[in-house]
Amino acid sequence: MTIYRAQVLDTPGELGDPDALRADHDCALVVEDGVIVARTGLDAAVAGHPGHEVVDLRDGVLLPGLVDTHVHFPQIRVIGGLGMPLLEWLDQCALPEEERLAEATHAQAVAEDFLSSVVRSGTTSALVFGSHFPAAMDVLFTQAERIGLRMTSGLVVSDRLLPESLLVTPERALEAGRTLAGRWHGRGRLRYAVTPRFSLSASQEMLRSCGELLAAGAGTGPGDEGLWFTSHVNENPAEIAAVRELFPEARDYVDTYDRAGLLSSRAVLAHDVHPTEEELVILGERGAAVAHCPTSNFSLGSGLFPWRRHRDAGVPVALGTDVGAGAGFFLVAEGLQAYFGQRLLGAEGLDLRPSDLLHLATRSGAQVLGLAEEIGDLSVGRHFDAVLVRPQTGGTLEQVLPYARDAQDVVAKIFSLGSAADVAGVWIGGAPVG
C-alpha cells in the first residue's frame, strides 16, 4: 500500500459539464494492489493506513493517465513529413516504413522506440493501429505486456492498392487474425482490434472477413468481452472520392463498414473530417466512436473537424495523436490543437473549456475504449493510472504555472505550455513505468 500526496486534477463527470473539473490542492490517494482505495486528506489517510509509505508529489500536478484512441505503431520514424496531402504522404512516408517491419530486428527496434515514447509522454492506455505483419504484432504485444501498457491493437489488413508486401487475401487475413486474437485478446491488459487499414485498400470481401472475425470473437458471457474494431474514415476528399468509386453499391464511406457488420459500441473510426449527415446518424445509432486527430488533420490539410455535428448526432469523440502525420505522442498537445480547430470554426465549432480538454485526454478516451469503470479519473475504485506533470526547470510553464488564477487556469496553462518533457512520472495499475 502506498499513499500519494499531490495536487490532483481530474474530470469524473461528462464532457461539457461546467462543474466537471475536480480539483484537490492537497490530496492523499491511498493505493492498494494498484487500485485507489481512498481519496482524502493526508492526516486521514495516515490515520486510516498507518505505517505505509507516503510519496510526496506536490512539486507537480497529478492527472489521470492519458488515453490515446488512435496512434500508429509503425510510423514513429516518419514523423515530420510535411507538405503533402494524405495519399501522397502515405506513398512517400508511411508505407515504405511499414514495409520494413517485415524484418524482425527492425520491428523489435521500432516497437521499443514506439512504446517507450508513448509511455514517456504520459499515455497509459492506447488503441494502437498495428502492423501488416503478424510477427511484428507479436513483438508489439510482447513489449506492451512487459511494460504494462493498457493496449488494444490488431493486425492491419489490406488486399488492394498498397505495395505488394503489405497485401494479404481475405482468407489469410481471417486466419492470422484468429491466431493473434486467440493468443493476445484478454491477456492481462491487452485486447485485440480487427483492423482493416481503410476501405480504400480493403475490398468488400476483405471487410466481410473482418466482420466474420469480429462476430466470432463477440464474447459469450458477461465477463467475456468481444473484439474491437478500428479503421479510418472520411479523412481526405480524394480518399472519399476513391472509396465511392470502389464501392458503387455502398451508400457512403461509413456504409462500407456497416454493411460488413463492423460498427458497434466497440468500434473506433479515426478522423471523420468530412461526414455526411446520414453517416453521422448511422455512427450515432451504432454507438461507434470517432478518434479526433487534429494535428494530423492540420498537417495533411485534411480540414477542420465538425465536432458540433458529431455531438448533435450522439457520436462519442476522444483524442488521438495519429503520430506519423502528427507531431508527437503528447496527448495534451492534441487537446490544444483541438481547441484551436474549434475556435477557427467560429459559430460552427464546439466551445471547449480547459476542463473539457482534460476530459478529452483522459475520461473521454476511457469511455470510448470501454474502460471508464477502470480508468480515466482518479476516483476510489479506479486503477491508479496517473501522470505527474512537473514543469522542467527554466521552461515557460515553470514560470507561469504558479500564477494560475484557479484550477481551470492550471489546466489551461498545462495544455497551452506543457510538453512531454514536463512528464515527471507515469504509473499504470499502481506501478511506475517509463
Side-chain angles (χ1 to χ4, degrees):
M1 182 176 290
T2 304
I3 300 171
Y4 294 93
R5 185 182 186 186
Q7 178 180 3
V8 179
L9 300 177
D10 64 347
T11 51
E14 296 302 315
L15 183 68
D17 182 349
D19 300 317
L21 182 61
R22 178 170 56 177
D24 288 320
H25 181 70
D26 190 354
C27 180
L29 297 176
V30 182
V31 178
E32 183 176 15
D33 295 329
V35 176
I36 300 170
V37 296
R39 177 172 175 151
T40 184
L42 181 65
D43 291 344
V46 171
H49 310 277
H52 292 285
E53 179 186 14
V54 176
V55 178
D56 193 338
L57 303 174
R58 287 176 296 163
D59 58 349
V61 179
L62 193 68
L63 307 174
L66 308 180
V67 183
D68 193 334
T69 61
H70 184 71
V71 56
H72 284 256
F73 154 44
Q75 294 180 6
I76 179 172
R77 297 184 178 183
V78 297
I79 294 173
L82 302 179
M84 292 170 275
L86 171 65
L87 299 183
E88 181 182 353
W89 177 83
L90 285 171
D91 287 338
Q92 298 298 316
C93 298
L95 297 179
E97 174 63 17
E98 298 204 19
E99 288 185 274
R100 297 186 185 104
L101 265 69
E103 201 277 310
T105 303
H106 187 76
Q108 180 74 35
V110 171
E112 291 174 359
D113 289 348
F114 170 77
L115 291 171
S116 64
S117 295
V118 165
V119 171
R120 285 201 307 267
S121 298
T123 293
T124 57
S125 302
L127 176 56
V128 176
F129 217 83
S131 166
H132 287 264
F133 303 104
M137 290 307 304
D138 278 325
V139 167
L140 179 67
F141 277 119
T142 299
Q143 290 296 316
E145 182 178 52
R146 180 183 61 81
I147 291 171
L149 182 70
R150 298 184 197 278
M151 187 183 78
T152 306
S153 189
L155 181 72
V156 181
V157 296
S158 295
D159 61 348
R160 64 183 177 192
L161 298 180
L162 299 187
E164 187 66 29
S165 66
L166 300 180
L167 301 182
V168 65
T169 66
E171 294 76 19
R172 292 187 62 186
L174 179 58
E175 179 184 358
R178 283 173 173 159
T179 299
L180 286 166
R183 184 177 301 141
W184 295 109
H185 184 66
R187 178 166 158 173
R189 297 173 183 149
L190 305 175
R191 303 183 303 185
Y192 193 83
V194 178
T195 312
R197 188 175 194 101
F198 53 177
S199 295
L200 188 66
S201 67
S203 68
Q204 193 67 67
E205 291 73 22
M206 177 63 83
L207 295 180
R208 288 195 193 99
S209 79
C210 290
E212 183 177 344
L213 176 57
L214 193 64
T220 57
D224 185 12
E225 183 194 346
L227 304 182
W228 285 71
F229 166 72
T230 191
S231 193
H232 301 87
V233 72
N234 291 325
E235 183 176 359
N236 172 279
E239 164 213 14
I240 296 167
V243 169
R244 187 179 300 115
E245 291 185 5
L246 290 167
F247 290 86
E249 72 283 5
R251 183 184 62 250
D252 46 45
Y253 203 150
V254 165
D255 191 47
T256 64
Y257 299 127
D258 194 37
R259 62 177 48 233
L262 295 168
L263 300 184
S264 72
S265 60
R266 293 195 306 277
V268 181
L269 292 169
H271 303 296
D272 205 31
V273 181
H274 305 282
T276 66
E277 292 306 317
E278 292 79 5
E279 287 176 305
L280 289 172
V281 168
I282 291 299
L283 292 175
E285 289 178 350
R286 301 292 185 266
V290 166
H292 175 34
C293 307
T295 302
S296 173
N297 293 343
F298 298 158
S299 174
L300 297 175
S302 298
L304 295 170
F305 180 66
W307 207 323
R308 184 179 294 276
R309 292 173 57 210
H310 283 76
R311 184 202 62 182
D312 292 347
V315 180
V317 175
L319 293 176
T321 55
D322 205 9
V323 172
F329 296 90
F330 192 44
L331 206 62
V332 167
E334 293 300 324
L336 180 63
Q337 294 301 314
Y339 173 82
F340 289 159
Q342 294 308 297
R343 298 289 286 179
L344 287 172
L345 282 170
E348 295 182 3
L350 194 66
D351 291 330
L352 295 171
R353 287 176 290 272
S355 55
D356 294 326
L357 303 185
L358 179 58
H359 195 291
L360 286 164
T362 56
R363 183 163 169 77
S364 288
Q367 291 173 325
V368 161
L369 296 184
L371 297 171
E373 297 302 313
E374 301 176 39
I375 61 160
D377 59 77
L378 295 171
S379 299
V380 172
R382 302 284 191 257
H383 293 270
F384 188 66
D385 285 18
V387 55
L388 180 68
V389 176
R390 180 193 298 138
Q392 57 183 325
T393 301
T396 306
L397 182 60
E398 181 192 44
Q399 296 168 338
V400 169
L401 196 58
Y403 303 100
R405 299 183 305 275
D406 53 24
Q408 285 277 359
D409 201 32
V410 169
V411 177
K413 287 173 167 45
I414 290 173
F415 273 79
S416 296
L417 298 168
S419 72
D422 299 307
V423 173
V426 181
W427 294 261
I428 304 178
V433 295

